[in-house]
Amino acid sequence: MDRIKNMFRSGVAKHVGLLSAALLSAVYTVQTVHPKLPEMTAVDAVLARDVAQSAPDSGWDLPNLDNPRVDSWVKLFSTDPKVKSRFAVWLDRKDTYEPMISAKLEKRDMPQDLIYLAMIESGFNPKAKSPAKAGGLWQFISETGKRYGLTVNKKVDERNVPAKATDAALAYLSELHDRFGSWYLAAAAYNTGENRVARIMRQVTGSEKGSDEDYYRISSLRPRETQDYVPMMIAAARISKEPARYGFDDPDAGMGE
């Protein structure tokens, strides 16, 4: 946790959602409760590609790539009592914001599963704030919010207006996808900054544009929090699509949060 705090003090966490309020809490938990997540390797990426090509999942419009890190997050979200209780609250809030986000995704012809990016960013709390001063449902810092049309000043903060923040976030994600050619890489850039992802992609693959499998190929060169970002998103999606399978059929699961 000290390392994370030092990141904020040094100004490294300056991009959108580098560690949101929801993500910071989950990362802190996984580092203290489960400090040794499996490392992602080139073999993992190949296996993920083969699984995605041989057995596409119905009900998904983002690739549901198998990876040990995804499995670890699924286990943490669904078995650790404190984390499971928090995730249950996220599921409850999802019902409030899903219709609006889904309609905006459909209008832009973007994957519906991007809703789970908002889930891991803020836990669907429109007033969430991170130590990096990111705010709202999609955890914009003020600079990036303004860049995508949000008013952010002492009197008005449209990062906390769900519909407007969603428009801004989807515009940003769409641009990132156009640049990198992959929703996984777009999510990584949303988390850690597009220039960093572009630099690493050029270093590893020779091109900024790539595939979802490249997210795992460049994993070791990204910050730890970004290594876990897409695995967290896919884990959240897996549970949300089949909550009863993972023990979230208890109506009192989120009580007390």
Side-chain angles (χ1 to χ4, degrees):
M1 190 62 172
D2 289 339
R3 181 175 62 83
I4 297 173
K5 290 179 180 177
N6 289 336
M7 286 173 57
F8 293 127
R9 293 193 188 103
S10 65
V12 173
K14 63 183 179 180
H15 293 284
V16 176
L18 179 55
L19 278 180
S20 68
L23 182 54
L24 174 61
S25 178
V27 167
Y28 172 63
T29 301
V30 80
Q31 288 180 340
T32 54
V33 178
H34 299 277
K36 292 186 178 180
L37 282 173
E39 294 298 325
M40 289 178 282
T41 67
V43 173
D44 292 332
V46 172
L47 289 174
R49 178 198 63 204
D50 292 344
V51 169
Q53 291 176 347
S54 63
D57 288 274
S58 61
W60 287 77
D61 53 11
L62 284 180
N64 178 17
L65 301 187
D66 273 345
N67 187 274
R69 227 172 180 87
V70 177
D71 297 336
S72 293
W73 280 105
V74 169
K75 182 178 181 180
L76 179 68
F77 285 146
S78 61
T79 62
D80 181 274
K82 290 184 178 180
V83 179
K84 184 176 181 179
S85 179
R86 184 182 306 120
F87 194 90
V89 174
W90 298 2
L91 285 174
D92 288 341
R93 291 176 183 155
K94 177 173 173 282
D95 293 339
T96 300
Y97 297 104
E98 184 172 26
M100 178 271 292
I101 297 174
S102 177
K104 291 181 179 295
L105 286 167
E106 183 176 3
K107 185 176 181 179
R108 289 177 172 269
D109 196 26
M110 294 171 71
Q112 289 290 317
D113 289 337
L114 288 173
I115 191 173
Y116 299 108
L117 189 149
M119 189 178 213
I120 65 168
E121 279 289 350
S122 67
F124 293 117
N125 178 1
K127 296 183 179 180
K129 294 182 180 179
S130 80
K133 297 183 179 180
L137 209 63
W138 297 87
Q139 290 291 283
F140 277 105
I141 61 168
S142 59
E143 178 184 349
T144 310
K146 293 174 182 177
R147 175 178 159 193
Y148 287 90
L150 298 179
T151 299
V152 182
N153 56 43
K154 292 182 178 180
K155 294 183 178 180
V156 178
D157 190 344
E158 291 184 338
R159 296 177 299 172
N160 298 327
V161 180
K164 291 186 177 181
T166 298
D167 286 335
L170 300 191
Y172 187 28
L173 284 165
S174 181
E175 287 187 13
L176 292 172
H177 181 262
D178 289 345
R179 180 173 181 179
F180 294 106
S182 153
W183 289 112
Y184 275 27
L185 293 174
Y190 188 97
N191 174 246
T192 198
E194 58 260 48
N195 292 332
R196 173 179 282 177
V197 172
R199 183 176 65 253
I200 295 173
M201 280 293 294
R202 290 193 299 267
Q203 177 182 341
V204 174
T205 71
S207 171
E208 287 187 6
K209 284 203 170 184
S211 66
D212 295 311
E213 291 79 10
D214 287 325
Y215 176 88
Y216 291 112
R217 286 185 64 194
I218 67 172
S219 173
S220 62
L221 299 178
R222 300 193 316 264
R224 173 64 181 271
E225 291 75 23
T226 309
Q227 292 179 31
D228 281 315
Y229 193 75
V230 166
M232 278 186 69
M233 182 172 69
I234 299 303
R238 285 185 188 176
I239 295 172
S240 299
K241 291 172 187 290
E242 298 182 276
R245 176 181 177 182
Y246 296 100
F248 286 92
D249 51 351
D250 180 357
D252 296 325
M255 294 296 288
E257 288 293 305

